[in-house]
Amino acid sequence: MTALLARIQDWFGRPLNRFIERLRLRLAQPDALLQVTLLGLIAGLLAALLVVAFRLALEGLQIYGLGLPGAERYESLPAEWRLLLPILGTLVLGLAFHLLPFGMRNVGVGHVIIRFHRFGADMPWQNAVVQFIAGVWGLLIGLTGGREGPGIHLGAFSGSLLGHSLGLPNNSVRTLSGCGVAAAISAAFNTPLAGVIFALEVVIKQYTLASFLPVILASSMGALLATTVFGPETLFTIEIHHEMSFWEVPTLLALGLIIGAMAAGYIQIVEATIARSWNWPVWARFTAAGVATGIIGFWVPEILGIGHDTTDLVAAAELTLGALLIIAVAKWLLASVTVGLGLPIGTIAPVLMIGAVVGGTLGSLLYRLDHIPLTDVAFYTVLGMGAMMGATLQAPLAALAAVLELTTDTGAILPAMITIVVSGLVSRMVFGKSGLYDAMLRANDQQMPGPSLWFNGDNIGVSSIIERRIAEVTCPCNLARFEQALEEKPAWLVIRDEHRQAMGVIRYTPAKAAYDQIFNQALFDAQSRAEQAAREAKAQGHAEGPTPRDETSVTPTTGGEEMAQPRTDQEAVETPATGAEAPPPEVDLEALANEVREAVLVDPGEISGFYRAADVEVGYTLTQAQRVMREEDVGVLVARRMVGSSQARTLGVMTAAMLEQAIVER
């Protein structure tokens, strides 16, 4: 039975392995659109499934665990619950995080951006599990945050899991991870276009055809699955039908100025909170956020949770101006402090609610002054959401797409453009603030590279440009092994130490020339020593007396055969008696050459044309390979699969010139 299973595995395993290997090689190219798009569809499906599971778990616990009449209805809780639930909940969460290893505490969008750009989108599964559980718990206890932060992490993990499970090069893994991010945003808000643009603007940070197509398909899959489970409605039930007039332009400019200033203040509070609480224990930071949430939530319950229900009330103009101002200021302060203290929840939902309340306040004021009808309050609510999102994240296209999809009204595009552009310029140019995630990474001393509008080293895998005609030897190495490695005339000869680490490389021509020189010199020296030893032995034999009569000498025949003939005492002493020089004794050159090949060791470092090299994982992108070259101070890399493993396999060699040429040409 075991033999049968092994045979079946061999039948199906070999073709599958060959297919996957060809897929890896194809995906290392920056233009493998069909393959990466199909894989992006699968990554989007996995991401959407995780986001849907997250939402179902959270809403189920809110309704059946806390007994809320509906998701996010924290206003119905008794006042003492609103006070104690966040405080005790964050204390438990903080103690749990305190017990976790430091590396497993890293979750959220900032973690995704770091892993995406510095680690080839390698998302550890342990962090994803922590994000799922901590995200559900944090939102369940009423912290002011959103589902999209955990969703983005889970979506990026889905793409990373798919790519690394197939052993794909990191340029493809990055694209699949971006697909997961887009699908997560799409599933969370039912806004597929905003999901695409958010993934490209905030996480991937570049616009290329190779990124657009798979991300679009993945985002569509996320929206499709979300609408199948939760229905076709968007996250906010806001409907507007507005025709813009010229007199509204000053009002829109004023809204953009106000929200731009609030966005800059929000980012400033986040940065200051990170700086002040950097050295606090994690349980202290989390508990401080819980205490602030409990105290403010005791008096202003609308700030608890994600706040979608409050946004709907604002759009419907069902809150007074005083209540709107209190909610806006309380949410603005609490959300920024919570983000700065590093709670494992989302940051976009609070930003959207702050913008909605600010825009709704302006709309309610204009309505009470009889400048606009009641239905237009929702219009200003949506504009505030888009402006605050665009200015805080410095993602204007994603914000504009969100406004368009949340309102389903093309008439909102022009006024949304005005408010988003003005608020973004005010925050960035007047107050000097970059996007929220960039500011958070800078505050944590982890500056990320900016966007790129063309192909670069992140789009190309190492395996697409390496020279695969290689052979390798392990030092110490004798001439026999060196000659065997050169038999197939490889382009490069890889030299490794006894621990299988790359020492350097040599091109075939200088390696062959060095072998010939070393071998010929060693053979000449060995032959000379052998002849000298034979002479000395022969002379010693003469000094001891005549050679026995039955001793034979070897003389070649004309046919090349050797015939033994007896030697007489006279012949044995005839040559010395004449005074002539004795002919050199015969040496078995073939045996001597084999002995030389086995005995003589080669020192690759003394060969002209030897280049120091370092190992690199074959799945790396060219950008990662450049970083390895700088860190190891080498100009040549040896691409291997499973670096650091005893099963590591050498696949090729890449030089700095090959790497730079690939980036320039593509």
Side-chain angles (χ1 to χ4, degrees), residues 293-509:
T293 303
I295 294 174
I296 298 177
F298 182 86
W299 301 103
V300 189
E302 289 83 2
I303 58 91
L304 295 175
I306 301 175
H308 297 161
D309 55 337
T310 303
T311 301
D312 292 336
L313 295 176
V314 173
E318 296 183 11
L319 298 175
T320 64
L321 284 174
L324 289 171
L325 290 174
I326 293 173
I327 293 172
V329 174
K331 190 76 172 181
W332 180 68
L333 289 172
L334 182 60
S336 55
V337 170
T338 302
V339 171
L341 290 173
L343 276 296
I345 50 180
T347 58
I348 299 178
V351 166
L352 289 174
M353 181 179 169
I354 294 168
V357 177
V358 174
T361 302
L362 179 60
S364 297
L365 179 62
L366 294 175
Y367 165 68
R368 285 167 173 75
L369 295 175
D370 294 328
H371 288 301
I372 59 172
L374 178 62
T375 55
D376 279 0
V377 175
F379 171 72
Y380 283 96
T381 300
V382 173
L383 292 185
M385 294 168 64
M388 189 68 182
M389 177 181 174
T392 305
L393 304 183
Q394 287 298 313
L397 288 179
L400 182 61
V403 169
L404 177 61
E405 291 182 301
L406 290 174
T407 62
T408 66
D409 180 19
T410 57
I413 295 178
L414 180 57
M417 284 182 174
I418 296 174
T419 53
I420 290 172
V421 168
V422 172
S423 62
L425 288 175
V426 168
S427 177
R428 192 174 191 91
M429 305 305 297
V430 177
F431 293 96
K433 297 298 180 183
S434 55
L436 174 63
Y437 299 123
D438 290 337
M440 293 171 64
L441 294 173
R442 188 183 302 108
N444 289 289
D445 196 25
Q446 294 174 322
Q447 184 63 29
M448 287 290 98
S452 172
L453 300 181
W454 50 83
F455 282 132
N456 58 30
D458 286 331
N459 299 106
I460 309 170
V462 165
S463 58
S464 69
I465 69 168
I466 56 176
E467 173 57 68
R468 295 177 176 272
R469 294 181 297 117
I470 61 168
E472 59 179 336
V473 295
T474 301
C475 283
C477 168
N478 58 23
L479 283 173
R481 179 67 187 93
F482 202 81
E483 181 186 32
Q484 183 181 357
L486 296 175
E487 284 180 354
E488 297 183 2
K489 298 183 178 180
W492 290 93
L493 184 63
V494 179
I495 312 298
R496 298 196 175 280
D497 61 20
E498 56 186 3
H499 302 293
R500 298 287 297 161
Q501 302 299 314
M503 296 174 56
V505 296
I506 314 172
R507 290 188 182 273
Y508 171 77
T509 301

Side-chain angles (χ1 to χ4, degrees), residues 234-245:
T234 56
L235 189 62
F236 303 99
T237 56
I238 302 175
E239 294 185 5
I240 64 172
H241 300 284
H242 180 81
E243 293 184 3
M244 180 180 172
S245 59

Side-chain angles (χ1 to χ4, degrees), residues 84-423:
L84 296 177
L85 183 62
I87 296 176
L88 297 178
T90 51
L91 178 60
V92 172
L93 185 62
L95 291 175
F97 263 64
H98 182 75
L99 296 176
L100 288 174
F102 182 79
M104 291 177 62
R105 303 176 191 173
N106 298 320
V107 296
V109 181
H111 170 70
V112 170
I113 295 175
I114 289 289
R115 301 296 301 187
F116 189 92
H117 288 279
R118 290 189 176 174
F119 298 93
D122 182 14
M123 307 290 170
W125 66 268
Q126 298 93 332
N127 298 70
V129 172
V130 171
Q131 175 65 93
F132 189 98
I133 298 173
V136 170
W137 179 261
L139 294 174
L140 178 65
I141 62 179
L143 292 176
T144 180
R147 295 191 300 259
E148 74 292 329
I152 291 170
H153 188 160
L154 296 173
F157 166 72
S158 301
S160 173
L161 177 65
L162 176 62
H164 285 293
S165 297
L166 295 175
L168 302 182
N170 285 359
N171 61 313
S172 299
V173 176
R174 293 174 73 254
T175 302
L176 294 180
S177 187
C179 291
V181 171
I185 291 291
S186 179
F189 294 99
N190 195 14
T191 52
L193 181 58
V196 171
I197 300 177
F198 178 89
L200 295 173
E201 266 190 317
V202 178
V203 178
I204 300 178
K205 290 184 177 291
Q206 68 181 46
Y207 304 95
T208 64
L209 184 62
S211 301
F212 262 121
L213 295 183
V215 169
I216 288 174
L217 192 58
S219 183
S220 303
M221 175 56 68
L224 178 61
L225 185 61
T227 54
T228 302
V229 177
F230 301 109
E233 296 80 12
T234 56
L235 189 62
F236 303 99
T237 56
I238 302 175
E239 294 185 5
I240 64 172
H241 300 284
H242 180 81
E243 293 184 3
M244 180 180 172
S245 59
F246 184 77
W247 71 268
E248 289 180 291
V249 173
T251 306
L252 298 177
L253 294 176
L255 179 61
L257 291 171
I258 295 171
I259 290 184
M262 292 194 69
Y266 184 93
I267 296 172
Q268 178 61 39
I269 296 174
V270 170
E271 293 175 325
T273 304
I274 293 175
R276 292 179 180 274
S277 64
W278 178 257
N279 295 321
W280 293 8
V282 63
W283 64 267
R285 288 191 284 112
F286 284 19
T287 305
V291 171
T293 303
I295 294 174
I296 298 177
F298 182 86
W299 301 103
V300 189
E302 289 83 2
I303 58 91
L304 295 175
I306 301 175
H308 297 161
D309 55 337
T310 303
T311 301
D312 292 336
L313 295 176
V314 173
E318 296 183 11
L319 298 175
T320 64
L321 284 174
L324 289 171
L325 290 174
I326 293 173
I327 293 172
V329 174
K331 190 76 172 181
W332 180 68
L333 289 172
L334 182 60
S336 55
V337 170
T338 302
V339 171
L341 290 173
L343 276 296
I345 50 180
T347 58
I348 299 178
V351 166
L352 289 174
M353 181 179 169
I354 294 168
V357 177
V358 174
T361 302
L362 179 60
S364 297
L365 179 62
L366 294 175
Y367 165 68
R368 285 167 173 75
L369 295 175
D370 294 328
H371 288 301
I372 59 172
L374 178 62
T375 55
D376 279 0
V377 175
F379 171 72
Y380 283 96
T381 300
V382 173
L383 292 185
M385 294 168 64
M388 189 68 182
M389 177 181 174
T392 305
L393 304 183
Q394 287 298 313
L397 288 179
L400 182 61
V403 169
L404 177 61
E405 291 182 301
L406 290 174
T407 62
T408 66
D409 180 19
T410 57
I413 295 178
L414 180 57
M417 284 182 174
I418 296 174
T419 53
I420 290 172
V421 168
V422 172
S423 62

